[in-house]
Amino acid sequence: MARLNKASAAAKFRFEVQHSRETVMTLSRTQYAATHEMQRIVQVITAVVCLLLGTHLIGNIAEPFNYLFSLYGCLVFAFLNVPAKSRAEKVIAQVESSGGAYPCTIFEFLGDRIHVTAKGDAGPGEDHLYKDCRRLVESKGDLYYFISQEAAFLFPAPCVGTEQLPALKLYLEEKTGLRFTSLNLWYNVSLRSLFKSRKNIR
């Protein structure tokens, strides 16, 4: 407990994130989208082309083969987020079947690291050095701090605070040497946006 008090006194920022079904779903979707970004873009572009071929907007695929192209395009869109949803539902089922509450995480931003503890836990917590951050992502106003290729912390805007959010973004960019990037959507992707994203991934 003494260590936590010292960390609290030296923290530049400190806030709590109370997790819920919504935060688990949001975090899972963003983690999956960020780690399968290029794959998803290729899948969606391929699906769009197949739909255009299947509906005769481009090309001249004879019936009934054109329906196969349309079916493939529809299936891609229908199952695009299924892996992320499935992963999130497993976590939600584990929490709710145990009868316990969703965890509340305390984040304290120190000079060279983020100190992470579970609220109500008397243990020492975990430290994550800024230099080990893999990527910074901003999506729908929330911030994501990737501690590995696939795992990230979610910092929801309401938890951080509207006034603190811009300062936290600048602070994390300064400490990690990375820049916040947005997820590349298939309809506005460009070589420049892809290069910018790759440049800011460790």
Side-chain angles (χ1 to χ4, degrees):
M1 182 64 73
R3 180 181 178 183
L4 181 58
N5 289 337
K6 290 180 181 178
S8 298
K12 177 72 173 179
F13 299 94
R14 183 185 188 280
F15 53 83
E16 301 177 3
V17 176
Q18 175 59 60
H19 287 286
S20 63
R21 291 177 61 94
E22 290 71 25
T23 62
V24 172
M25 280 290 188
T26 299
L27 182 57
S28 182
R29 282 197 298 266
T30 303
Q31 286 178 153
Y32 183 79
T35 55
H36 297 79
E37 198 168 14
M38 182 58 69
Q39 176 185 333
R40 284 162 58 89
I41 291 171
V42 171
Q43 286 178 330
V44 171
I45 292 176
T46 303
V48 170
V49 172
C50 285
L51 287 172
L52 294 175
L53 288 169
T55 55
H56 292 154
L57 291 176
I58 61 173
N60 189 23
I61 306 297
E63 295 184 1
F65 299 108
N66 66 308
Y67 298 126
L68 296 177
F69 284 87
S70 295
L71 176 62
Y72 175 79
C74 292
L75 289 176
V76 168
F77 283 110
F79 290 94
L80 193 62
N81 291 313
V82 166
K85 184 178 180 182
S86 176
R87 183 189 305 176
E89 288 177 342
K90 288 180 181 178
V91 174
I92 291 170
Q94 289 175 353
V95 173
E96 296 185 350
S97 64
S98 68
Y102 284 91
C104 180
T105 308
I106 301 173
F107 294 99
E108 297 176 295
F109 298 78
L110 308 176
D112 61 346
R113 67 195 185 279
I114 301 177
H115 186 67
V116 184
T117 54
K119 189 173 183 178
D121 187 351
E126 298 179 349
D127 288 318
H128 296 271
L129 298 175
Y130 297 123
K131 67 182 182 65
D132 294 332
C133 177
R134 296 295 297 272
R135 185 178 183 183
L136 299 173
V137 170
E138 182 175 10
S139 179
K140 298 181 180 179
D142 298 328
L143 306 182
Y144 296 83
Y145 182 102
F146 279 78
I147 58 175
S148 68
Q149 183 177 351
E150 296 190 357
F153 292 134
L154 165 61
F155 305 147
C159 297
V160 178
T162 305
E163 295 181 355
Q164 282 199 122
L165 193 64
L168 178 61
K169 286 179 59 179
L170 291 174
Y171 182 80
L172 290 177
E173 289 183 339
E174 177 185 344
K175 291 295 185 179
T176 62
L178 301 173
R179 293 290 177 266
F180 275 95
T181 58
S182 300
L183 296 178
N184 289 305
L185 302 177
W186 66 271
Y187 54 79
N188 67 358
V189 68
S190 66
L191 290 177
R192 182 179 180 182
S193 63
L194 288 175
F195 177 76
K196 182 180 178 182
S197 294
R198 295 301 166 187
K199 184 180 179 181
N200 285 284
I201 298 177
R202 287 197 177 105

